[in-house]
């Protein structure tokens, strides 16, 4: 599939409601079997599945990884989370995992998609420990300085800064590595930063046919409101600069601390596409004490 001219860069800021333009949030919901999507989302998601049939498996691998990393953060004593690009609420939302293990745990979700935000608002009504912020993560001040973050999160204590399935939507022009560093520098020592992206490197080596399908799938997203940006392995590792990488380092998602649950087909070619890693802040990276 040819990729003629890439779509223009998306301006920074929260998105208003638009059911005509397919978007990443609702397409992801569709892959996961959710009902919060429209005809335009389903049509484009089906096109993505036609070129890369394992697309829904990729979504499930990422969602399973989210659950595992939240549990690992909690094993490490973390009870407050900032979930960047949280998506439409679905099975296994972060606040549900957190409140089962830490009834006073705090969660601030952030998404710029109005469908994700309105459904999360409904779900979280009356919940004093979790909220959602309608903001663009490429504008970190609007997230880190928001009344929601200030009310619920204590940045002087370790936090779980979740960047799961989000940095793949941040174009190089918006400096994803620098953005990670900005969020990192707000975190207290002991904080954990799980990040997952899509990478072409391993799939190209292990499964050239799936690599070709992946690149076609990326082109399909040219017709969505956000595009997918595939990252190199070494480039992704550099996102963890200034942090200590937890074992097993940067690996494909199913190999990052698998816990034996059968939420996806672990033999699927999708296994080679998603990469994940978790960084730990060992000291202040911004020069403050
Ligand atoms: C694939 S979903 C991931 C959801 C969830 N983090 C997970 O891993 O299951 C990506 C979400 O990121 C949101 N998103 C993409 N770019 C964003 C941005 N610049 N600011 C805020 N949200 C963004 C999309 O609206 C979508 O809901």
């Amino acid at each position: 599939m040819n990729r003629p001219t890439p779509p223009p860069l998306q301006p920074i800021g929260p998105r208003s409601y638009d059911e005509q333009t397919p978007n990443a949030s609702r397409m992801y919901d569709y892959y996961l079997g959710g009902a919060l999507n429209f005809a335009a989302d389903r049509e484009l998601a089906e096109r993505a599945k036609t070129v890369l049939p394992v697309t829904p498996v990729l979504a499930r691998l990422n969602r399973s990884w989210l659950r595992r990393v939240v549990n690992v953060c909690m094993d490490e004593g973390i009870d407050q989370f900032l979930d960047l690009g949280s998506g439409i609420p679905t099975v296994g939302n972060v606040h549900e995992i957190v409140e089962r293990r830490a009834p006073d745990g705090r969660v601030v979700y952030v998404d710029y998609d109005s469908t994700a935000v309105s459904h999360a608002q409904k779900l979280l009504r009356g919940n004093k420990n979790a909220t959602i912020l309608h903001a663009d993560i490429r504008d970190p001040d609007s997230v880190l300085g928001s009344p929601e973050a200030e009310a619920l999160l204590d940045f002087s204590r370790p936090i779980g800064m979740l960047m799961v399935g989000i940095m793949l939507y941040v174009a190089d022009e918006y400096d994803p590595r620098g953005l990670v560093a900005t969020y990192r520098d707000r975190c207290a020592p002991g904080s954990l930063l799980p990040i997952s992206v899509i990478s072409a490197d391993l799939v190209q080596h292990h499964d050239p046919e799936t690599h070709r399908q992946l690149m076609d799938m990326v082109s399909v997203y040219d017709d969505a409101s956000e595009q997918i940006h595939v990252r190199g392995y070494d480039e992704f590792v550099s996102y963890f600069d200034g942090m200590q990488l937890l074992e097993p380092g940067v690996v494909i998602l199913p190999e990052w601390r698998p816990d034996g649950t059968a939420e996806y087909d672990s033999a699927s070619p999708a296994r080679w596409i998603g990469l994940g890693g978790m960084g730990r802040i060992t000291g202040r990276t911004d020069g403050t004490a």
Side-chain angles (χ1 to χ4, degrees):
M1 189 178 290
N2 292 326
R3 190 177 194 185
T5 319
L9 278 179
Q10 323 155 41
I12 294 182
R15 300 296 172 86
S16 48
Y17 182 78
D18 170 9
E19 65 176 73
Q20 306 303 330
T21 313
N23 79 25
S25 179
R26 297 186 307 240
M27 289 170 72
Y28 186 68
D29 177 68
Y30 180 68
Y31 301 138
L32 292 175
L36 297 174
N37 44 74
F38 301 113
D41 308 306
R42 293 190 285 275
E43 193 268 330
L44 199 66
E46 284 298 333
R47 268 173 57 199
K49 281 170 61 182
T50 302
V51 296
L52 177 67
V54 295
T55 302
V57 184
L58 184 59
R60 284 199 294 280
L61 282 170
N62 186 65
R63 196 70 194 171
S64 168
W65 195 73
L66 170 69
R67 180 184 56 71
R68 299 204 301 282
V69 296
V70 171
N71 276 312
V72 168
C73 288
M74 297 198 79
D75 293 343
E76 299 273 331
I78 287 178
D79 63 358
Q80 50 171 357
F81 292 84
L82 184 58
D83 185 357
L84 301 172
S86 46
I88 289 173
T90 178
V91 177
N93 295 303
V94 173
H95 75 283
E96 293 160 350
I97 303 173
V98 172
E99 67 194 12
R100 263 198 304 276
R101 296 187 55 180
D104 288 327
R106 305 288 177 87
V107 179
V108 175
Y109 293 112
V110 184
D111 208 291
Y112 72 175
D113 173 51
S114 58
T115 311
V117 171
S118 64
H119 285 280
Q121 280 168 340
K122 275 187 212 139
L123 184 71
L124 298 173
R125 197 164 291 148
N127 188 329
K128 63 180 181 15
N129 290 332
T131 191
I132 180 145
L133 174 65
H134 194 191
D136 190 320
I137 68 129
R138 293 169 298 170
D139 177 9
D141 289 345
S142 72
V143 175
L144 296 168
S146 65
E148 288 86 346
E150 294 200 344
L152 282 189
L153 305 175
D154 176 358
F155 285 97
S156 70
R157 292 201 302 117
I159 190 169
M161 185 71 80
L162 307 177
M163 302 190 201
V164 180
I166 170 72
M167 298 312 290
L168 62 150
Y169 299 110
V170 177
D172 288 346
E173 288 81 350
Y174 292 112
D175 185 15
R177 184 166 167 268
L179 201 55
V180 171
T182 302
Y183 285 102
R184 174 200 70 197
D185 289 350
R186 187 62 196 277
C187 293
S191 296
L192 294 170
L193 283 78
I195 314 174
S196 62
V197 294
I198 283 180
S199 176
D201 289 2
L202 292 179
V203 67
Q204 186 167 22
H205 177 75
H206 290 281
D207 187 341
E209 171 58 15
T210 302
H211 172 257
R212 192 192 54 72
Q213 295 175 0
L214 169 65
M215 300 324 281
D216 286 348
M217 188 274 256
V218 167
S219 299
V220 167
Y221 272 73
D222 284 356
D223 292 337
S225 62
E226 44 279 292
Q227 283 64 59
I228 290 179
H229 305 278
V230 172
R231 303 268 136 80
Y233 182 89
D234 292 341
E235 176 192 5
F236 179 47
V237 170
S238 78
Y239 289 8
F240 296 94
D241 283 356
M243 301 180 233
Q244 173 194 49
L245 263 174
L246 267 64
E247 288 297 326
V250 169
V251 294
I252 56 173
L253 298 178
E255 286 184 0
W256 200 95
R257 303 198 189 187
D259 61 4
T261 51
E263 292 165 321
Y264 50 80
D265 170 11
S266 59
S268 164
R271 63 188 279 103
W272 299 114
I273 298 174
L275 288 182
M278 192 189 290
R280 188 199 313 272
I281 310 289
T282 53
R284 277 282 174 200
T285 49
D286 60 357
T288 60

